[in-house]
Amino acid sequence: FHYSVSENAARQPHAPAIEDASVNPAVRLTYGMLDEESSRFAGYLKQLGYPKESVVAVVLPNCADAMVAILAVSKAEYCFLFLDPSTPGDRLRYMLEDSGAKAVISKMAVLEECGIRTEPGSADIIDLEDEIVGLKVDVSAPEKGLNITRSQLAYMIYTSGTTGRPKAVALTHENASNLRHAQINALKLNANDRVIQFASTSFDASIWEILAAFGAGACLVLVKQKVRDDAGDELPKTIMEKSISFATLPTTLVSAMDRSALKPLRKLVVAGEACTSDLIGKIDGVVDFQNAYGPTEVAVCSSISPPLLPNDPNLTLGTRVSIGTALDGLQLYILDRQLRILPKGVVGELYVSGPSVARGYLGQAGLTAERFIACPYRPGERMYRTGDRVVENQSGNIFYVE
C-alpha cells in the first residue's frame, strides 16, 4: 500500500504529496516529508510488538496526520482500519470491537467527541497529542516496510451495512497494488494533477482517491468536513480555489451540480450509483468523464468505462450507461446459476476474478466461502460473486441492470 509513496520520495522528494486544506493555514507535505514522517512513526509502531496483520484503527478527521498514520501502520506490517470520526458513535464502537483492533491512533479530544472510552483490556490508545508518544516517535529508527509480502493484509474496510450489520472486508497489499497499477492505465493521471479526497475515510472510495494520487505522484488535496456536508455550495468553490484537476464523485451529486462547477477539472469519475445517459449530455464538452463500478470486496473498482460521449451506441443502452470493461488484471464473468458463461445480450450475475479479489470477510468463514468461490475458468484462482445482474453488449461493454 505504501510503496508508491516511497518510490515517489526517491524519484521526486520535493514534489507535493499532500495539501491539507482542512486546516488554516493549509499543511503541505512533499513526498520526501511524507515518506520520512510515516517511516519514523512506523518505527515506533513496530516497537509495540503486535503480531503481523494486527488491526490498528485510525480515528481521525481527514487530515495530514491521518495520512501519515495509515502509511505508518502499513509500513509496520499491521493492517489499518480507517474510521471517520463523524460516523455515528454506535457504529464506530461496533467496528472497533468487531475488528479486534490492537490499537487506536487518534487524539483524546476526537475520541471523547465520538464517545469512545478507554477501558482495561481494550485497544491501546496512541494519542498523537501525547508528548511522550511524540518523543518516542522522534527517536525511533525509521521502518520502511520493505519486507512485506503481497499476500499480507494491508487494510480493512467495513461495508455500508445496508443489508444487515456492517461486515469487515480484509484486503491485501496485492489487492491495493493491482488497483494502483490499473488506475495508472485507466485514468492517465500525472504528477501535475491535484486529486481531491472527497469520500469519507470510512468508505472504500477514499482508498481509490488516495492510491490514484500517490500512484501517479500527484498531490492529494484534503478538504474540510463541511465540503462533504454542504457539497452543493462548498465543493464547486473548493474545486476552483484549490485547482482540483481530478475528482471521483457520487453520480447523484454530479447530476445536481452546475456544468460550470466542473470546468476546472481535467478528469471526472462518477461511481457508487447508476449513471444515466442524460448525465453524459450534461457533461459533454466540459470534462473528460468516466463511469466506474466495483464492490468493496474487489478492492473498490472492478470496471471502468472509456471517456463517455453522447449517443455512443457502444456505451449506452436506453438510458443506461456502461460500466465499461474489466480493470487491468481482472476478469469479469456473466454467469447463470450453474456458473456457465452466458452469451452477449443475456442478463446474468456478475463474478470477478483476479488479484484485486479480497481475502474475505473477517470472522465470517461461512459467508466468505459463499461469496468467494473457486473460479472454474482460471484454475487456482477465486472469484467474487457480486450479486449484481448485468448484461454485455456486442461491443464487449457491460451494463448494470439491477
Side-chain angles (χ1 to χ4, degrees):
F1 185 88
H2 56 273
Y3 285 156
S4 56
V5 170
S6 300
E7 290 166 0
N8 285 315
R11 186 171 56 248
Q12 49 175 16
H14 303 297
I18 289 175
E19 180 176 329
D20 183 358
S22 70
V23 293
N24 191 14
V27 173
R28 295 176 176 84
L29 295 178
T30 65
Y31 274 101
M33 295 163 65
L34 181 59
D35 189 47
E36 181 180 350
E37 289 189 24
S38 59
S39 293
R40 189 171 289 114
F41 193 13
Y44 164 74
L45 294 175
K46 190 88 167 180
Q47 291 174 12
L48 298 178
Y50 303 133
K52 291 181 181 180
E53 299 191 346
S54 292
V55 176
V56 175
V58 177
V59 184
L60 287 167
N62 195 20
C63 61
D65 284 342
M67 295 300 153
V68 170
I70 64 168
L71 290 168
V73 173
S74 178
K75 290 180 178 183
E77 298 191 66
Y78 305 140
C79 170
F80 71 81
L81 172 62
F82 210 167
L83 296 177
D84 185 341
S86 68
T87 303
D90 288 347
R91 180 181 169 95
L92 271 179
R93 288 188 289 274
Y94 168 77
M95 291 187 287
L96 286 172
E97 181 178 347
D98 180 70
S99 67
K102 295 287 187 182
V104 177
I105 300 171
S106 188
K107 299 177 182 179
M108 292 309 299
V110 173
L111 295 181
E112 288 171 7
E113 190 173 333
C114 296
I116 296 173
R117 296 177 177 82
T118 60
E119 299 174 359
S122 62
D124 297 331
I125 302 297
I126 300 172
D127 181 3
L128 296 184
E129 294 184 331
D130 186 327
E131 291 184 1
I132 295 176
V133 171
L135 289 172
K136 289 181 178 178
V137 170
D138 287 342
V139 299
S140 295
E143 172 58 58
K144 291 285 190 179
L146 299 178
N147 298 317
I148 291 173
T149 63
R150 291 170 63 84
S151 62
Q152 284 180 242
L153 284 186
Y155 67 98
M156 193 174 291
I157 289 277
Y158 275 79
T159 61
S160 60
T162 52
T163 57
R165 275 199 144 179
K167 303 183 293 292
V169 183
L171 296 113
T172 66
H173 286 276
E174 180 181 32
N175 300 154
S177 177
N178 190 71
L179 174 61
R180 176 169 66 98
H181 287 294
Q183 285 175 315
I184 291 171
N185 290 332
L187 303 176
K188 296 178 172 58
L189 301 182
N190 60 58
N192 295 318
D193 278 304
R194 291 171 60 80
V195 178
I196 187 170
Q197 212 273 284
F198 180 79
S200 164
T201 52
S202 285
F203 295 112
D204 61 356
S206 65
I207 300 295
W208 163 271
E209 293 165 331
I210 293 166
L211 289 177
F214 294 163
C219 181
L220 184 68
V221 181
L222 313 178
V223 297
K224 297 177 182 178
Q225 182 62 37
K226 73 175 183 178
V227 176
R228 300 180 189 85
D229 295 340
D230 188 14
D233 291 330
E234 295 293 331
L235 181 58
K237 289 193 293 186
T238 301
I239 289 173
M240 177 66 74
E241 293 171 2
K242 296 300 175 183
S243 301
I244 302 299
S245 63
F246 175 73
T248 302
L249 301 172
T251 309
T252 51
L253 174 57
V254 175
S255 297
M257 293 174 70
D258 191 270
R259 276 170 53 97
S260 62
L262 302 170
K263 284 185 177 179
L265 296 173
R266 189 173 75 85
K267 285 182 174 288
L268 170 68
V269 169
V270 295
E273 300 147 330
C275 179
T276 56
S277 56
D278 59 343
L279 188 57
I280 301 178
K282 174 180 177 177
I283 295 178
D284 182 43
V286 177
V287 61
D288 190 355
F289 162 52
Q290 294 170 269
N291 185 31
Y293 159 88
T296 301
E297 290 87 346
V298 191
V300 190
C301 186
S302 307
S303 68
I304 192 168
S305 73
L308 296 164
L309 297 171
N311 305 315
D312 185 337
N314 293 322
L315 297 173
T316 55
L317 184 65
T319 60
R320 294 189 179 95
V321 173
S322 175
I323 58 174
T325 56
L327 280 186
D328 286 358
L330 303 184
Q331 294 77 43
L332 305 182
Y333 305 98
I334 302 173
L335 307 179
D336 65 13
R337 291 182 178 179
Q338 285 73 45
L339 301 184
R340 295 174 299 199
I341 294 176
L342 292 169
K344 292 179 178 180
V346 178
V347 175
E349 186 173 353
L350 181 63
Y351 291 74
V352 188
S353 72
S356 290
V357 175
R359 183 182 290 182
Y361 299 113
L362 176 70
Q364 299 197 45
L367 186 59
T368 296
E370 178 185 326
R371 300 302 293 268
F372 296 84
I373 64 176
C375 179
Y377 304 102
R378 297 181 75 90
E381 283 193 17
R382 296 177 309 142
M383 60 182 184
Y384 175 68
R385 178 184 180 184
T386 69
D388 292 333
R389 293 181 64 75
V390 299
V391 65
E392 182 181 7
N393 68 7
Q394 295 304 313
S395 64
N397 287 288
I398 294 174
F399 294 80
Y400 175 82
V401 176
E402 60 182 354

